[in-house]
Amino acid sequence: MIAGYVVVLSALMIVSGVSVTPDVMLIALGLAAVILGRGRLFIRDWVPFIGLFLAYELMRGYADDINRVIHDADILGLERALFGGLLPTQVLQEAFHPATGLDPLAIAGTILYFLHFPLPIAIAFLLWVRRRRAYYDYIAALILLSMAGFATYLVLPVAPPWWAADHGLIPGPDGAPAITYLKAQGFNDLARMLGFEGRYLYSYAIYEVNPNAVAAFPSLHAGYPFLAFLFARRAFGRAGWLMLAYAACVWFAIVYLGDHYVV
């Protein structure tokens, strides 16, 4: 019932044009905790995690301010070296992105991008309900992963593929960028399809509190769902393997959209 509640809530938010952010999800899960008779326990167990996570989000944007040396051509060269001179994002977009009209993969990828935070938080809530000891370990691992990512952003600010393309590092035959940042198109198509174009409701408490445009390495969009899979597999058995399928879909989406390199 909890899993279904999270899925339905996320779907309703997406089709209504409401950004699925942790601040909104935590309020919703707090309501679920009250219904379960664990409201006071929820506050005690979740407030420290929320505080640490918000602290990470506040610090994240300072990484590129401290280190002005942005790595772009070297990471791009490494990506090409791993794939025989090819760029996976470019290969995928040439294969699947239509020249005109809707791009279903971009729309699906944008939805997966929306779920970057909610799904790992939902796993945390399920662990909290069913395996409270594992919840503490999971939260500790999530915070450690985030802080390790922040430390890497400090010493190695890496521009994503869309940034490299916009700065002339991935030119096509006509000199124009060979790849497109498809998340914007996917979102606009989704808005037109669902009728919330021009009235999108966005929560700035998380995503835009202190953004960092050159935090492409490591990809926490890849790391969060994989960490959730490792814990879900151990806690929930076969059902936990669904998180690996979800993680693989996220990996495909962030490469196809132009947000991250495979490396």
Side-chain angles (χ1 to χ4, degrees), residues 52-138:
L52 287 169
F53 198 76
L54 286 175
Y56 157 72
E57 286 296 323
L58 286 168
M59 292 189 305
R60 182 169 62 104
Y62 292 115
D64 58 329
D65 296 330
I66 295 172
N67 188 347
R68 298 284 183 169
V69 180
I70 297 174
H71 294 263
D72 43 31
D74 49 356
I75 299 296
L76 181 60
L78 177 60
E79 182 88 342
R80 292 188 187 280
L82 287 174
F83 293 95
L86 299 175
L87 184 63
T89 297
Q90 184 177 352
V91 171
L92 290 175
Q93 289 192 4
E94 288 177 352
F96 299 112
H97 181 58
T100 58
L102 293 177
D103 183 343
L105 274 181
I107 295 172
T110 302
I111 293 173
L112 288 170
Y113 193 91
F114 275 159
L115 298 177
H116 168 50
F117 282 127
L119 263 294
I121 289 178
I123 293 297
F125 191 78
L126 289 172
L127 290 171
W128 181 71
V129 171
R130 296 286 302 275
R131 303 281 193 277
R132 194 150 160 249
R133 178 64 260 173
Y135 161 78
Y136 293 127
D137 293 339
Y138 176 67

Side-chain angles (χ1 to χ4, degrees), residues 15 33-34 40 43 46 49 56 60 66 88 97 103 111 136 143 151 173 195 220 231 241 243 254:
V15 300
V34 170
R40 188 173 300 177
I43 293 173
W46 283 73
F49 159 58
Y56 157 72
R60 182 169 62 104
I66 295 172
H97 181 58
D103 183 343
I111 293 173
Y136 293 127
I143 294 297
L220 293 184
F231 277 82
W241 285 88
M243 277 303 298
I254 58 180

Side-chain angles (χ1 to χ4, degrees), residues 4-244:
Y5 170 67
V6 170
V7 170
V8 171
L9 181 65
S10 297
L12 287 174
M13 291 171 70
I14 289 172
V15 300
S16 300
V18 180
S19 182
V20 189
T21 53
D23 49 318
V24 177
M25 289 300 300
L26 288 169
I27 293 171
L29 293 175
L31 175 60
V34 170
I35 293 172
L36 292 171
R38 301 185 185 184
R40 188 173 300 177
L41 186 62
F42 179 85
I43 293 173
R44 191 185 77 181
D45 285 350
W46 283 73
V47 164
F49 159 58
I50 296 168
L52 287 169
F53 198 76
L54 286 175
Y56 157 72
E57 286 296 323
L58 286 168
M59 292 189 305
R60 182 169 62 104
Y62 292 115
D64 58 329
D65 296 330
I66 295 172
N67 188 347
R68 298 284 183 169
V69 180
I70 297 174
H71 294 263
D72 43 31
D74 49 356
I75 299 296
L76 181 60
L78 177 60
E79 182 88 342
R80 292 188 187 280
L82 287 174
F83 293 95
L86 299 175
L87 184 63
T89 297
Q90 184 177 352
V91 171
L92 290 175
Q93 289 192 4
E94 288 177 352
F96 299 112
H97 181 58
T100 58
L102 293 177
D103 183 343
L105 274 181
I107 295 172
T110 302
I111 293 173
L112 288 170
Y113 193 91
F114 275 159
L115 298 177
H116 168 50
F117 282 127
L119 263 294
I121 289 178
I123 293 297
F125 191 78
L126 289 172
L127 290 171
W128 181 71
V129 171
R130 296 286 302 275
R131 303 281 193 277
R132 194 150 160 249
R133 178 64 260 173
Y135 161 78
Y136 293 127
D137 293 339
Y138 176 67
I139 291 305
L142 194 66
I143 294 297
L144 181 62
L145 174 62
S146 300
M147 295 305 177
F150 172 73
T152 310
Y153 302 149
L154 280 175
V155 299
L156 192 72
V158 172
W162 66 263
W163 192 98
D166 286 351
H167 286 74
L169 297 178
I170 311 177
D174 57 354
I179 67 169
T180 304
Y181 192 26
L182 295 181
K183 189 171 68 178
Q185 177 183 329
F187 174 75
N188 290 334
D189 289 341
L190 187 66
R192 283 193 293 271
M193 289 172 58
L194 299 177
F196 59 80
E197 187 177 17
R199 58 176 183 84
Y200 179 53
L201 302 177
Y202 198 92
S203 169
Y204 285 86
I206 294 293
Y207 284 122
E208 295 298 321
V209 67
N210 202 4
N212 182 355
V214 288
F217 184 88
S219 167
L220 293 184
H221 278 85
Y224 285 164
F226 188 71
L227 181 66
F229 155 68
L230 294 177
F231 277 82
R233 178 194 60 176
R234 181 171 295 180
F236 307 120
R238 290 182 179 179
W241 285 88
L242 292 173
M243 277 303 298
L244 182 60

